[in-house]
Amino acid sequence: MTEATPELAPSNALVASAHQTAGPYWHLVDFPEWADTTRHFADALPEGAERITLTGTITDGTGALVTDAMVEIWHADPAGRYPDQNGDPNAFQGYGRCATDKQGRFRFVTLRPGPVPVGPHAGGNAMQAPHVALAVFARGLLQHLSTRLYFEGEALNATDPVLRAVPEARRGTLIAKPMGDGAWNLDLRLQGEGETVWMAV
C-alpha cells in the first residue's frame, strides 16, 4: 500500500477561477417590458409626474456600434424618493433594463426624477440634481460600467457634488440633451476619444 505524500494529498487551498467577460447572454435575461418603468401606471401617472423617454447609442473605443450590450437604469421618483422594496408592487419601481438593438441604441420610458438629498454626511439641505444611474454590461467587460445621466438645463447641475467632481471639460459626457416631446438623448462611449465618464461605485 502506497502512502499519500504531501504532493499527492488533496488540497483545501482556494484557487481563483478564471476571469470571464460579461455576456453576450442578453437573450436569456432581456424582457422588453422592463424598458418601461411606467408600465404599472397605465395612463394614471402620479400627480405631477412627467413621462419621459431616455435614448442613446453605445460605441466602443474604435467608434463601432455595440449591438449586444445591456443597459440598466435606477433612479428616484419625481418627488426624489427611491422605491421602497417592501412597498406597493404597483408603485414606481425606479429600475429598468434594455438591450441595445442593431443600431447600438437603447430606449427607456420612465418618469423624470426629482432632486435627491445629498445625504446626512454632507449636512444641511444640499440636494443632488435629478439624475439617472446607468450600468452597462457588454462582452469584453470583466465587470459592468457605471455612470450617471443628468438633464441639460437643470439648475441644480451647477451644485451637484458628483457632477462638480468631474472635470468641466468632460461633464458633457453625462448630460442628456432634450430631443422634444419629452425625449432625452445621451450617447455612451466605452473608451477612447470622447469616452463617457465612468464611476467607481
Side-chain angles (χ1 to χ4, degrees), residues 14 71 125 163 184:
L14 299 178
V71 182
N125 297 316
L163 197 55
W184 295 83

Side-chain angles (χ1 to χ4, degrees), residues 68-153:
D68 57 358
M70 178 68 73
V71 182
E72 294 183 350
I73 62 170
W74 171 253
H75 63 87
D77 69 10
R81 298 178 303 245
Y82 284 99
D84 179 358
Q85 297 303 303
N86 299 314
D88 180 358
N90 296 316
F92 178 62
Q93 302 299 301
Y95 169 80
R97 172 185 281 175
C98 179
T100 53
D101 62 18
K102 293 181 179 179
Q103 287 73 48
R105 295 193 65 78
F106 59 88
R107 180 181 184 276
F108 291 95
V109 175
T110 191
L111 300 181
R112 180 164 175 158
V116 179
V118 170
H121 61 281
N125 297 316
M127 300 293 286
Q128 297 180 64
H131 65 274
V132 176
L134 292 97
V136 177
F137 300 81
R139 58 188 168 85
L141 299 178
L142 295 179
Q143 62 182 33
H144 68 273
L145 298 175
S146 298
T147 191
R148 282 185 171 190
L149 176 155
Y150 289 88
F151 298 90
E152 184 177 83

Side-chain angles (χ1 to χ4, degrees), residues 12 41 55 65-66 81 87 105 110 134 136 139 171 201:
N12 291 325
F41 297 122
T55 63
L65 298 171
V66 180
R81 298 178 303 245
R105 295 193 65 78
T110 191
L134 292 97
V136 177
R139 58 188 168 85
R171 290 177 194 167
V201 295

Side-chain angles (χ1 to χ4, degrees), residues 12-93:
N12 291 325
L14 299 178
V15 179
S17 60
H19 286 290
Q20 301 293 328
T21 62
Y25 310 113
W26 314 135
H27 63 286
L28 301 176
V29 295
D30 181 29
F31 299 93
E33 65 272 20
W34 287 11
D36 182 357
T37 70
T38 70
R39 63 189 183 277
H40 304 296
F41 297 122
D43 292 323
L45 296 180
E47 185 176 352
E50 176 188 355
R51 183 181 272 123
I52 61 172
T53 303
L54 303 177
T55 63
T57 299
I58 301 180
T59 52
D60 65 16
T62 68
L65 298 171
V66 180
T67 59
D68 57 358
M70 178 68 73
V71 182
E72 294 183 350
I73 62 170
W74 171 253
H75 63 87
D77 69 10
R81 298 178 303 245
Y82 284 99
D84 179 358
Q85 297 303 303
N86 299 314
D88 180 358
N90 296 316
F92 178 62
Q93 302 299 301

